[in-house]
Amino acid sequence: MSSDLTNISPTFYGISMVPKNKWREYGYALLTIAGSDGIVSDPELEWLTLDMAREVGVDEEIVADWEEFDFESAELDELFNSFNSSALAGFNKLLIYDAIRMSSADGDYALEEKEQVHEAARILKVAPEVVMAIEALVELENAANKLRLTIL
């Protein structure tokens, strides 16, 4: 019997069940944000389609849809209207967090990407100071990963 929910580890995301159909739009939003500088780089796409998809158990069909998605013609307002983010506690902040992680996966959190993250936060009603804190968190995590790789 197939479930309409995806089980994910609550350790990282703070939630354990997500409706499977929500991942498609979630990925579309991330692609639109990361592509705001004109390109979704290979490291950014790999972060979404390999790292995150594996981490949260996204179906291959959805990953294929992400790979074919036209992020250049997408509008954040329309994407966010297509799903109810309030259904998942903390969803809005998680999307901002993942958008920053994806946008910086290639080592360049471009100005256009940062502006699009802030626009997404405005639409999702995430306070600017919270966005700044999330940006700092991602920078700290990236620095810790570099340190780990250097030491080990």
Side-chain angles (χ1 to χ4, degrees), residues 22-96:
K22 300 303 178 198
W23 288 118
R24 181 174 282 105
E25 290 83 11
Y26 192 87
Y28 289 168
L30 295 177
L31 286 161
T32 301
I33 293 167
S36 62
D37 62 349
I39 186 169
V40 174
S41 68
D42 288 342
E44 290 170 337
L45 187 60
E46 288 170 6
W47 180 91
L48 178 65
T49 60
L50 297 177
D51 299 342
M52 194 197 87
R54 188 175 330 120
E55 191 175 284
V56 299
V58 173
D59 292 339
E60 289 181 26
E61 175 186 322
I62 292 174
V63 171
D65 288 346
W66 289 344
E67 291 172 336
E68 298 299 319
F69 181 66
D70 180 12
F71 64 88
E72 292 176 311
S73 64
E75 294 292 331
L76 285 178
D77 283 323
E78 292 174 19
L79 288 171
F80 293 147
N81 285 334
S82 69
F83 56 95
N84 180 6
S85 64
S86 64
L88 302 171
F91 173 86
N92 295 348
K93 289 185 235 178
L94 288 173
L95 191 138
I96 297 302

XYZ file of all heavy atoms in Angstrom, residues 22-96:
600
model
N 3.889 17.738 -1.962
C 4.432 19.062 -1.611
C 5.883 19.218 -2.042
O 6.360 20.328 -2.234
C 4.316 19.326 -0.109
C 2.899 19.294 0.418
C 2.004 20.281 -0.283
C 0.590 20.195 0.237
N -0.371 20.800 -0.652
N 6.616 18.109 -2.181
C 8.024 18.204 -2.555
C 8.218 18.786 -3.949
O 9.205 19.471 -4.202
C 8.696 16.837 -2.450
C 8.894 16.398 -1.036
C 8.356 15.286 -0.446
C 9.649 17.057 -0.021
N 8.747 15.231 0.870
C 9.538 16.299 1.162
C 10.418 18.224 0.014
C 10.164 16.653 2.350
C 11.042 18.586 1.199
C 10.916 17.808 2.344
N 7.294 18.510 -4.861
C 7.424 19.021 -6.229
C 7.491 20.557 -6.201
O 8.416 21.159 -6.727
C 6.274 18.533 -7.105
C 6.361 19.002 -8.552
C 5.273 18.377 -9.418
N 5.622 17.005 -9.758
C 5.072 15.912 -9.215
N 4.115 16.022 -8.319
N 5.459 14.700 -9.570
N 6.493 21.174 -5.561
C 6.440 22.638 -5.493
C 7.584 23.211 -4.664
O 8.113 24.275 -4.959
C 5.091 23.095 -4.926
C 3.919 22.865 -5.856
C 3.364 21.446 -5.803
O 3.746 20.679 -4.887
O 2.547 21.103 -6.677
N 7.958 22.507 -3.614
C 9.079 22.930 -2.770
C 10.347 23.044 -3.627
O 11.049 24.048 -3.595
C 9.273 21.902 -1.645
C 10.197 22.314 -0.529
C 9.718 23.040 0.550
C 11.537 21.934 -0.518
C 10.551 23.389 1.609
C 12.375 22.273 0.522
C 11.871 23.000 1.583
O 12.698 23.350 2.633
N 10.601 22.010 -4.424
C 11.757 22.028 -5.319
C 11.660 23.106 -6.377
O 12.655 23.760 -6.710
N 10.452 23.308 -6.910
C 10.263 24.373 -7.896
C 10.610 25.734 -7.294
O 11.240 26.570 -7.943
C 8.823 24.391 -8.407
C 8.421 23.243 -9.302
C 7.091 23.038 -9.602
C 9.354 22.379 -9.860
C 6.686 21.998 -10.431
C 8.960 21.337 -10.688
C 7.623 21.147 -10.965
O 7.231 20.116 -11.790
N 10.183 25.973 -6.066
C 10.494 27.240 -5.405
C 12.002 27.387 -5.217
O 12.575 28.454 -5.479
C 9.770 27.331 -4.062
N 12.665 26.319 -4.788
C 14.121 26.372 -4.600
C 14.839 26.630 -5.923
O 15.786 27.422 -5.977
C 14.627 25.076 -3.967
C 14.144 24.782 -2.547
C 14.674 23.431 -2.072
C 14.533 25.887 -1.578
N 14.388 25.993 -6.993
C 14.985 26.213 -8.312
C 14.795 27.650 -8.778
O 15.705 28.248 -9.359
C 14.375 25.246 -9.330
C 14.837 23.794 -9.214
C 13.859 22.867 -9.919
C 16.249 23.641 -9.783
N 13.625 28.201 -8.526
C 13.343 29.584 -8.926
C 14.252 30.555 -8.183
O 14.784 31.500 -8.775
C 11.856 29.908 -8.675
O 11.061 28.986 -9.436
C 11.524 31.331 -9.082
N 14.464 30.307 -6.917
C 15.332 31.178 -6.118
C 16.789 31.019 -6.556
O 17.476 32.004 -6.837
C 15.154 30.899 -4.618
C 13.745 31.327 -4.179
C 16.228 31.616 -3.796
C 13.330 30.830 -2.805
N 17.272 29.779 -6.608
C 18.675 29.547 -6.973
C 18.961 29.966 -8.415
O 20.093 30.342 -8.736
C 19.032 28.077 -6.773
N 17.943 29.937 -9.279
C 18.123 30.326 -10.672
C 17.955 31.804 -10.937
O 18.054 32.247 -12.078
N 17.740 32.579 -9.898
C 17.493 34.010 -10.088
C 18.723 34.758 -10.604
O 18.596 35.865 -11.118
C 16.986 34.652 -8.797
O 17.961 34.542 -7.782
N 19.903 34.154 -10.513
C 21.099 34.764 -11.079
C 21.298 34.348 -12.535
O 22.324 34.635 -13.134
C 22.334 34.439 -10.241
C 22.642 32.943 -10.168
O 21.795 32.122 -10.586
O 23.740 32.602 -9.673
N 20.297 33.673 -13.112
C 20.324 33.308 -14.518
C 20.685 31.862 -14.778
O 20.543 31.381 -15.904
N 21.153 31.149 -13.753
C 21.550 29.762 -13.954
C 21.399 28.979 -12.658
O 21.618 29.521 -11.571
C 23.015 29.661 -14.453
C 23.370 28.216 -14.794
C 23.979 30.246 -13.448
C 24.682 28.072 -15.538
N 20.978 27.746 -12.794
C 21.063 26.805 -11.684
C 22.310 25.983 -11.999
O 22.320 25.188 -12.939
C 19.813 25.908 -11.572
C 20.011 24.841 -10.500
C 18.579 26.747 -11.259
N 23.366 26.238 -11.256
C 24.644 25.574 -11.522
C 24.551 24.089 -11.213
O 23.642 23.633 -10.513
C 25.748 26.214 -10.670
O 25.529 25.920 -9.296
N 25.506 23.335 -11.745
C 25.528 21.896 -11.478
C 25.565 21.589 -9.983
O 24.807 20.733 -9.523
C 26.696 21.223 -12.203
C 26.494 21.143 -13.711
O 25.334 21.283 -14.176
O 27.488 20.946 -14.433
N 26.419 22.255 -9.186
C 26.410 21.967 -7.744
C 25.067 22.295 -7.076
O 24.639 21.578 -6.167
C 27.531 22.842 -7.179
C 28.444 23.078 -8.323
C 27.553 23.129 -9.540
N 24.408 23.347 -7.528
C 23.094 23.677 -6.965
C 22.070 22.607 -7.312
O 21.306 22.154 -6.447
C 22.630 25.052 -7.477
C 23.426 26.212 -6.916
C 23.123 27.535 -7.593
O 22.647 27.549 -8.751
O 23.379 28.577 -6.961
N 22.044 22.193 -8.574
C 21.098 21.164 -9.000
C 21.392 19.837 -8.304
O 20.475 19.142 -7.872
C 21.125 21.001 -10.523
C 20.053 20.082 -11.101
C 18.646 20.601 -10.777
C 20.234 19.936 -12.607
N 22.667 19.498 -8.173
C 23.036 18.266 -7.476
C 22.629 18.328 -6.008
O 22.210 17.317 -5.442
C 24.534 18.007 -7.605
C 24.927 17.577 -8.995
C 26.424 17.537 -9.215
O 27.202 17.729 -8.250
O 26.829 17.302 -10.376
N 22.763 19.499 -5.390
C 22.342 19.635 -3.990
C 20.860 19.275 -3.872
O 20.462 18.536 -2.976
C 22.583 21.062 -3.476
C 22.168 21.205 -2.054
C 22.949 21.014 -0.950
C 20.863 21.524 -1.565
N 22.195 21.179 0.192
C 20.910 21.496 -0.163
C 19.648 21.817 -2.173
C 19.800 21.754 0.640
C 18.536 22.071 -1.382
C 18.627 22.046 0.013
N 20.047 19.769 -4.812
C 18.606 19.504 -4.775
C 18.275 18.069 -5.158
O 17.586 17.365 -4.420
C 17.870 20.471 -5.708
C 16.358 20.282 -5.823
C 15.667 20.582 -4.495
C 15.794 21.160 -6.938
N 18.762 17.635 -6.322
C 18.310 16.362 -6.881
C 19.006 15.149 -6.284
O 18.487 14.034 -6.385
C 18.487 16.337 -8.409
O 19.875 16.505 -8.720
C 17.661 17.425 -9.072
N 20.161 15.334 -5.687
C 20.860 14.211 -5.066
C 20.826 14.313 -3.547
O 20.262 13.459 -2.873
C 22.314 14.143 -5.557
C 22.509 13.882 -7.049
C 23.982 13.913 -7.416
C 21.893 12.560 -7.463
N 21.438 15.366 -3.020
C 21.586 15.484 -1.570
C 20.244 15.602 -0.856
O 19.907 14.784 -0.008
C 22.476 16.678 -1.202
C 23.882 16.564 -1.768
O 24.284 15.439 -2.141
O 24.572 17.591 -1.846
N 19.493 16.644 -1.168
C 18.228 16.851 -0.466
C 17.217 15.765 -0.801
O 16.529 15.265 0.075
C 17.627 18.225 -0.765
C 16.510 18.561 0.223
S 15.416 19.886 -0.297
C 14.231 18.974 -1.255
N 17.137 15.391 -2.066
C 16.168 14.371 -2.482
C 16.408 13.062 -1.723
O 15.461 12.427 -1.259
C 16.241 14.142 -3.984
N 17.664 12.682 -1.573
C 17.996 11.462 -0.841
C 17.700 11.644 0.650
O 17.154 10.760 1.293
C 19.466 11.115 -1.041
C 19.860 9.765 -0.491
C 21.305 9.380 -0.801
N 21.821 9.928 -2.038
C 22.893 10.735 -2.094
N 23.555 11.066 -1.019
N 23.305 11.197 -3.253
N 18.050 12.801 1.174
C 17.866 13.103 2.596
C 16.411 12.995 3.027
O 16.106 12.514 4.109
C 18.391 14.516 2.861
C 18.521 14.924 4.285
C 19.176 16.294 4.364
O 20.402 16.378 4.185
O 18.444 17.277 4.591
N 15.496 13.446 2.176
C 14.080 13.470 2.557
C 13.242 12.415 1.833
O 12.050 12.320 2.069
C 13.455 14.879 2.362
C 14.157 15.891 3.228
C 13.467 15.310 0.914
N 13.860 11.631 0.950
C 13.148 10.538 0.306
C 12.195 10.944 -0.793
O 11.106 10.391 -0.912
N 12.612 11.879 -1.634
C 11.770 12.335 -2.741
C 11.777 11.291 -3.857
O 12.820 10.743 -4.208
C 12.267 13.701 -3.266
C 11.519 14.125 -4.509
C 12.133 14.757 -2.187
N 10.598 11.026 -4.412
C 10.452 10.057 -5.508
C 11.223 10.510 -6.752
O 11.334 11.707 -7.033
C 8.975 9.906 -5.903
C 8.145 9.238 -4.824
O 8.719 8.539 -3.969
O 6.917 9.430 -4.840
N 11.694 9.530 -7.522
C 12.436 9.818 -8.757
C 11.600 10.609 -9.753
O 12.134 11.422 -10.504
C 12.932 8.523 -9.389
C 14.053 7.871 -8.612
C 14.562 6.598 -9.274
O 14.435 6.463 -10.510
O 15.096 5.745 -8.545
N 10.304 10.379 -9.766
C 9.401 11.114 -10.673
C 9.457 12.618 -10.377
O 9.482 13.437 -11.297
C 7.980 10.586 -10.502
C 6.942 11.340 -11.299
C 5.528 10.867 -10.975
O 5.326 9.655 -10.783
O 4.639 11.728 -10.906
N 9.475 12.969 -9.110
C 9.536 14.384 -8.728
C 10.898 14.965 -9.079
O 11.000 16.079 -9.598
C 9.192 14.561 -7.241
C 7.718 14.224 -7.019
C 9.520 15.979 -6.756
C 7.272 14.212 -5.571
N 11.958 14.194 -8.839
C 13.306 14.648 -9.197
C 13.374 14.914 -10.699
O 13.928 15.930 -11.127
C 14.374 13.627 -8.751
C 15.748 13.988 -9.303
C 14.423 13.540 -7.219
N 12.789 14.045 -11.498
C 12.765 14.246 -12.953
C 12.006 15.522 -13.307
O 12.431 16.279 -14.192
C 12.135 13.040 -13.641
N 10.912 15.790 -12.612
C 10.160 17.034 -12.849
C 11.015 18.252 -12.504
O 10.984 19.255 -13.212
C 8.872 17.056 -12.037
C 7.827 16.087 -12.561
O 7.970 15.591 -13.699
O 6.852 15.822 -11.825
N 11.753 18.164 -11.407
C 12.644 19.273 -11.038
C 13.664 19.537 -12.142
O 13.940 20.689 -12.482
C 13.399 18.962 -9.753
C 12.599 18.972 -8.493
C 11.360 19.514 -8.295
C 12.993 18.418 -7.242
N 10.968 19.318 -6.992
C 11.953 18.650 -6.329
C 14.120 17.734 -6.804
C 12.006 18.251 -5.001
C 14.191 17.320 -5.490
C 13.147 17.581 -4.602
N 14.228 18.477 -12.687
C 15.264 18.621 -13.719
C 14.718 19.248 -14.990
O 15.466 19.870 -15.740
C 15.905 17.264 -14.001
C 16.745 16.771 -12.833
C 17.238 15.346 -12.986
O 16.604 14.558 -13.740
O 18.242 15.017 -12.339
N 13.424 19.116 -15.240
C 12.805 19.673 -16.439
C 12.138 21.028 -16.207
O 11.680 21.662 -17.145
C 11.750 18.689 -16.984
C 12.330 17.350 -17.401
C 13.350 17.478 -18.512
O 13.126 18.272 -19.455
O 14.393 16.785 -18.428
N 12.105 21.486 -14.975
C 11.363 22.687 -14.611
C 11.987 23.942 -15.225
O 13.203 24.135 -15.196
C 11.327 22.821 -13.077
C 10.575 24.021 -12.581
C 9.209 24.141 -12.768
C 11.248 25.050 -11.929
C 8.521 25.255 -12.309
C 10.567 26.155 -11.462
C 9.196 26.262 -11.652
N 11.145 24.824 -15.768
C 11.578 26.094 -16.351
C 11.561 27.175 -15.272
O 10.584 27.904 -15.128
C 10.661 26.468 -17.516
C 11.050 27.783 -18.168
O 12.162 28.303 -17.888
O 10.242 28.307 -18.944
N 12.647 27.259 -14.523
C 12.733 28.203 -13.404
C 12.734 29.656 -13.863
O 12.343 30.550 -13.115
C 13.977 27.922 -12.551
C 15.280 28.123 -13.277
C 15.884 29.364 -13.307
C 15.898 27.063 -13.916
C 17.085 29.554 -13.976
C 17.100 27.233 -14.579
C 17.698 28.489 -14.621
N 13.140 29.900 -15.093
C 13.225 31.276 -15.583
C 11.855 31.920 -15.776
O 11.733 33.138 -15.684
C 14.017 31.326 -16.888
C 15.484 30.991 -16.675
C 16.261 30.942 -17.976
O 15.793 30.271 -18.927
O 17.321 31.588 -18.031
N 10.841 31.126 -16.028
C 9.510 31.692 -16.240
C 8.611 31.559 -15.009
O 7.446 31.955 -15.050
C 8.839 31.044 -17.456
O 8.619 29.679 -17.214
N 9.140 31.028 -13.937
C 8.340 30.819 -12.725
C 8.253 32.087 -11.887
O 9.162 32.918 -11.903
C 8.947 29.695 -11.895
N 7.164 32.211 -11.170
C 6.935 33.339 -10.257
C 6.727 32.784 -8.856
O 5.903 31.888 -8.650
C 5.692 34.125 -10.684
C 5.831 34.835 -12.013
C 6.824 35.979 -11.978
O 7.003 36.598 -10.904
O 7.441 36.239 -13.032
N 7.475 33.329 -7.905
C 7.368 32.839 -6.529
C 5.952 32.947 -5.976
O 5.469 32.024 -5.315
C 8.345 33.581 -5.614
C 9.814 33.194 -5.752
C 10.674 34.047 -4.824
C 10.024 31.722 -5.480
N 5.287 34.062 -6.234
C 3.915 34.232 -5.732
C 3.022 33.075 -6.168
O 2.282 32.516 -5.365
C 3.294 35.542 -6.237
C 3.803 36.760 -5.496
O 4.017 36.661 -4.275
O 3.979 37.803 -6.146
N 3.106 32.718 -7.439
C 2.277 31.633 -7.961
C 2.667 30.290 -7.347
O 1.805 29.478 -7.018
C 2.393 31.564 -9.479
C 1.776 32.747 -10.187
C 2.023 32.747 -11.686
O 2.353 31.666 -12.243
O 1.895 33.814 -12.301
N 3.968 30.058 -7.208
C 4.424 28.800 -6.605
C 3.938 28.663 -5.170
O 3.466 27.607 -4.758
C 5.946 28.710 -6.642
C 6.569 28.460 -8.006
C 8.079 28.608 -7.951
C 6.194 27.071 -8.513
N 4.055 29.745 -4.416
C 3.652 29.694 -3.014
C 2.140 29.593 -2.868
O 1.648 29.039 -1.890
C 4.199 30.888 -2.233
C 5.703 30.877 -2.102
C 6.404 32.066 -2.085
C 6.407 29.696 -1.996
C 7.788 32.073 -1.950
C 7.787 29.685 -1.881
C 8.484 30.878 -1.859
N 1.399 30.093 -3.839
C -0.058 29.961 -3.803
C -0.510 28.538 -4.113
O -1.629 28.155 -3.776
C -0.721 30.930 -4.790
C -0.702 32.350 -4.281
O -0.657 32.594 -3.083
N -0.717 33.291 -5.207
N 0.376 27.744 -4.732
C -0.014 26.397 -5.141
C 0.037 25.383 -3.997
O -0.406 24.262 -4.156
C 0.866 25.917 -6.291
O 2.187 25.694 -5.842
N 0.583 25.788 -2.867
C 0.566 24.886 -1.719
C 0.404 25.680 -0.440
O 0.702 26.852 -0.386
C 1.812 23.997 -1.665
C 3.127 24.729 -1.644
C 3.761 25.019 -0.459
C 3.748 25.102 -2.825
C 4.981 25.680 -0.446
C 4.963 25.768 -2.820
C 5.582 26.050 -1.631
N -0.101 25.009 0.578
C -0.404 25.655 1.854
C 0.755 25.437 2.809
O 0.837 24.399 3.459
C -1.702 25.074 2.428
C -2.071 25.692 3.754
O -1.446 26.633 4.212
N -3.102 25.143 4.378
N 1.637 26.408 2.913
C 2.824 26.256 3.748
C 2.488 26.199 5.228
O 3.264 25.692 6.019
C 3.808 27.390 3.474
O 3.239 28.624 3.841
N 1.343 26.709 5.620
C 0.992 26.704 7.038
C 0.654 25.303 7.537
O 0.533 25.083 8.741
C -0.177 27.656 7.297
O -1.319 27.205 6.616
N 0.515 24.353 6.620
C 0.196 22.985 7.025
C 1.353 22.321 7.761
O 1.164 21.365 8.484
C -0.180 22.154 5.804
N 2.566 22.832 7.567
C 3.736 22.276 8.226
C 4.370 23.343 9.112
O 4.746 24.407 8.631
C 4.760 21.807 7.189
C 4.279 20.765 6.195
C 5.306 20.559 5.097
C 3.990 19.457 6.906
N 4.482 23.028 10.383
C 5.075 23.986 11.323
C 6.504 24.298 10.892
O 7.288 23.410 10.594
C 5.053 23.405 12.728
N 6.849 25.569 10.844
C 8.198 25.994 10.513
C 8.546 25.883 9.040
O 9.681 26.127 8.655
N 7.573 25.532 8.217
C 7.836 25.316 6.793
C 8.484 26.530 6.140
O 9.429 26.387 5.367
C 6.536 24.974 6.066
C 6.691 24.906 4.575
C 7.103 23.745 3.963
C 6.439 26.020 3.785
C 7.253 23.678 2.594
C 6.592 25.964 2.418
C 6.999 24.789 1.826
N 7.981 27.710 6.415
C 8.475 28.903 5.741
C 9.951 29.115 6.017
O 10.728 29.425 5.113
C 7.657 30.125 6.160
C 6.214 30.018 5.713
O 5.847 29.174 4.914
N 5.371 30.884 6.248
N 10.354 28.938 7.269
C 11.771 29.100 7.616
C 12.613 27.988 7.003
O 13.744 28.232 6.577
C 11.942 29.129 9.129
C 11.408 30.397 9.760
C 11.728 30.410 11.230
C 10.460 30.595 12.005
N 10.667 30.567 13.444
N 12.065 26.775 6.933
C 12.796 25.671 6.313
C 13.038 25.939 4.830
O 14.120 25.655 4.305
C 12.027 24.357 6.473
C 12.006 23.761 7.861
C 11.074 22.560 7.912
C 13.399 23.364 8.303
N 12.035 26.486 4.153
C 12.206 26.787 2.740
C 13.290 27.850 2.547
O 14.143 27.713 1.668
C 10.893 27.245 2.111
C 10.979 27.319 0.590
C 9.720 26.758 -0.037
C 11.238 28.710 0.100
N 13.290 28.859 3.384
C 14.330 29.900 3.300
C 15.702 29.284 3.559
O 16.673 29.549 2.834
C 14.027 31.054 4.280
C 12.705 31.754 3.901
C 15.193 32.042 4.345
C 12.653 32.335 2.507
